[in-house]
Amino acid sequence: MTTTATKPGGGGRLRAAITARTLRTDRWWLAPLVTFIGLGAWVTYATVRVFMHQWFFVEEYLYLTPFYSPCLTDLCGPAAEFGTPLPSFLLIPEAAFTLPFLLLFRLTCYYYRKAYYRAFWLSPPACAVPDGHKTYSGETRFPLIFQNAHRYAFYAAVIISVINTWDAIHAQTTGLGLGNVILWINVLMLWAYTASCHSCRHIIGGRMKHFSRHPVRYRLWTFVSALNTRHMQLAWITLGTLALTDFYIMGLAAGWFTDLRIIG
Amino acid sequence: MKRHFRVWRGDASGGDLRDFDVEVNEGEVVLDIIHRLQATQAPDLACRWNCKAGKCGSCSMEINGKPRLGCMTRMSTFTDDETITVTPIRTFPVIRDLVTDVSFNYEKARETPAFAPPPGVAPGEYRMQQVDVERSQEFRKCIECFLCQNTCHVIRDHDENKPAFSGPRYFIRAAELDMHPLDDRSDRKEYAQASQGLGYCNITKCCTEVCPEHIKITDNAIIPMKERVVDRRYDPIVWLGRKIFRRDQLESADGAVPTVNPPMSSARLPEGPPVGPDGHMEIAELSAPTQGGLSPFGEDLSFPLPPEYVSYHHPERPSEA
Ligand code: SF4
Ligand code: SF4
Ligand code: FES
Ligand code: FES
């Protein structure tokens, strides 16, 4: 006998019995794997560098690595631009006032959230691939509800970008070398990343209901929106420029190579 | 040329993948092959479709594990020896073969507050500027294929979240209306947070990845809505700005008196189509009481609808709403 269709909304409420957890045949695991390795490597490098407590400043050309800016402990010597209120201690990073905010900024960033929820938390590892967890409450409760603090971290990140810009200007007073170029590229990319932030896009104009009444903010919003579409790329580019800048300055400070000077 | 297909066949009581070798010609899409199967080897294979142009949103299915429109998935995107697996969308209860019961989405649609007409502007008098309405228009492209709803892991992998979570399709609806220059409601953000389950979304962007209309669901709707919630609930500077510049009064200075918000949804409850004595629908429309596709809202509606069925609130006569 032919079976008739089940009535929608009533009757059988069961899903199709498909045994395979996912039927995807492409290499869906590649993107989360690359993210996992990339972020993991970067975090390892940054942690090692932050707690190295040396090779962060090139006195001759006033190059200060972004990982130690602003330098605030007794160890800083001539690198201290804002005084040295902190004692030097193994567990206190030289930039102890800014690094936590930078960490918070990146941790609560909408792009990084996507990246680590997928690659580290497997929730989900890829689209149409099952979540690695039994239960799920998303960002509705503690601790993940604090992802909503991204806005505060954004404000902090703007201030920190200003400090990084100051570092680049400060180093510029000694002439021009490859180090200056690297510092400027890094600062420029940091600004691009910060400006492309979703919170920035919202504050600058996204929150308005009537663009036509605020033409200037509308223009700014359009600009930020264009940057915002590249937020993921900028997130990775800035990881690259940060590590590269730091590595270059470490190399100079450690005497592994010398700065390529153009002027001075 | 023959290609190897595996198609899920069965219903709520169970089923499995069946193997087929089917003829495939140049320029065909997966839906064509399903039709060829119906015409040749499996005449009772159930499949929903309508336009074959990616515009009706009926033919959602999972092809090699990926949520896609059958009519927009070209056979040329597969290699010659690739086995193509076609299954119904997973998140919703199966009716038969590739047809699922998507009434979850209609229930969520009914719960989402409708457009609230601006007070003092009669219907037909609505005027707005293109720049103001542009953001909302992106979301109007939605064809309600529910691929985003199906992919979203919040309900795909955790069925228990269904009552609390409306899904990306209804987040774009909330965003569409919240950004709409003429919509009079001011509590859509609170509603999205409290009743639609916006907080469940962890912005992993699978909805955006599968949307056949390429709506930037996450970037342009969900994240802005999350930010709007932050405005209301978590941002101290916005709060200060409001206090100092009296922003609230500014926004309503142009005649829009803040109104009492009408109830969130209509009183109308979901209804199923008529069924036979066995509790099942008729197998073919020939023997059904009405011809044509059965409405998921029930077949016994007469117009005009009784007022309690309608969630429209007249701007000048709110008492009659
Ligand atoms: S971005 Fe949010 S709504 Fe979209 S699929 Fe992911 S969790 Fe679901
Ligand atoms: S938003 Fe896109 S994926 Fe979701 S129902 Fe609409 S068209 Fe389909
Ligand atoms: S920095 Fe990525 S969204 Fe704000
Ligand atoms: S048949 Fe209409 S979208 Fe595929």
Side-chain angles (χ1 to χ4, degrees), chain A residues 82-163:
Chain A
F82 302 87
T84 55
L86 298 171
S88 68
F89 174 61
L90 184 68
L91 291 179
I92 302 180
E94 271 39 61
F97 283 169
T98 43
L99 288 188
F101 291 101
L102 281 184
L103 186 68
L104 193 73
F105 183 49
R106 302 247 170 184
L107 269 183
T108 58
C109 162
Y110 287 98
Y111 167 68
Y112 286 110
R113 269 145 82 182
K114 173 198 164 193
Y116 65 75
Y117 282 141
R118 283 199 188 193
F120 287 78
W121 195 242
L122 305 180
S123 176
C127 302
V129 176
D131 194 333
H133 301 265
K134 275 251 164 339
T135 59
Y136 177 87
S137 60
E139 299 179 342
T140 53
R141 58 174 82 133
F142 180 84
L144 290 182
I145 194 160
F146 284 107
Q147 303 283 29
N148 288 319
H150 185 59
R151 181 85 57 86
Y152 301 77
F154 167 75
Y155 294 138
V158 172
I159 298 171
I160 296 168
S161 297
V162 172
I163 297 175

Side-chain angles (χ1 to χ4, degrees), chain B residues 63-245:
Chain B
I63 300 165
N64 279 353
K66 277 199 212 155
R68 316 275 316 242
L69 292 180
C71 69
M72 297 305 279
T73 307
R74 292 181 171 278
M75 286 305 299
S76 58
T77 56
F78 305 102
T79 56
D80 283 349
D81 51 355
E82 202 170 342
T83 299
I84 294 147
T85 312
V86 183
T87 52
I89 52 179
R90 259 192 216 236
T91 305
F92 307 114
V94 66
I95 295 177
R96 208 158 72 90
D97 302 340
L98 300 178
V99 178
T100 52
D101 171 9
V102 291
S103 51
F104 165 83
N105 301 292
Y106 301 129
E107 282 156 31
K108 294 297 174 184
R110 223 176 278 112
E111 286 166 19
T112 308
F115 175 76
V121 190
E125 299 285 297
Y126 295 178
R127 299 289 178 272
M128 50 200 143
Q129 300 214 17
Q130 179 60 27
V131 284
D132 291 339
V133 78
E134 214 150 43
R135 279 181 300 177
S136 297
Q137 281 173 334
E138 175 184 7
F139 310 130
R140 300 296 298 185
K141 291 193 299 181
C142 174
I143 58 171
E144 304 224 292
C145 62
F146 304 131
L147 286 175
C148 55
Q149 303 282 86
N150 167 53
T151 319
C152 180
H153 70 113
V154 176
I155 48 176
R156 184 183 175 93
D157 301 328
H158 307 279
D159 212 49
E160 69 281 4
N161 287 335
K162 275 186 181 167
F165 186 72
S166 294
R169 162 63 190 108
Y170 300 101
F171 295 151
I172 67 172
R173 176 71 176 148
E176 174 200 328
L177 292 171
D178 201 46
M179 294 170 182
H180 196 286
L182 289 180
D183 179 67
D184 195 43
R185 277 195 106 98
S186 52
D187 60 348
R188 295 195 185 274
K189 319 143 188 45
E190 287 84 351
Y191 183 78
Q193 181 79 347
S195 307
Q196 286 193 306
L198 186 66
Y200 281 88
C201 165
N202 68 355
I203 50 163
T204 35
K205 285 199 175 178
C206 287
C207 46
T208 310
E209 244 174 66
V210 298
C211 178
E213 284 294 310
H214 306 291
I215 300 171
K216 299 274 177 293
I217 303 174
T218 323
D219 284 354
N220 288 349
I222 298 179
I223 294 176
M225 281 311 270
K226 284 197 174 227
E227 285 294 318
R228 282 161 188 241
V229 171
V230 171
D231 268 358
R232 286 296 165 103
R233 306 190 39 169
Y234 309 103
D235 189 328
I237 295 185
V238 172
W239 178 83
L240 246 162
R242 267 214 201 104
K243 286 272 164 213
I244 296 170
F245 301 113

Side-chain angles (χ1 to χ4, degrees), chain B residues 8-19:
Chain B
W8 194 88
R9 303 221 48 194
D11 57 20
S13 61
D16 48 25
L17 290 167
R18 303 277 170 79
D19 290 86

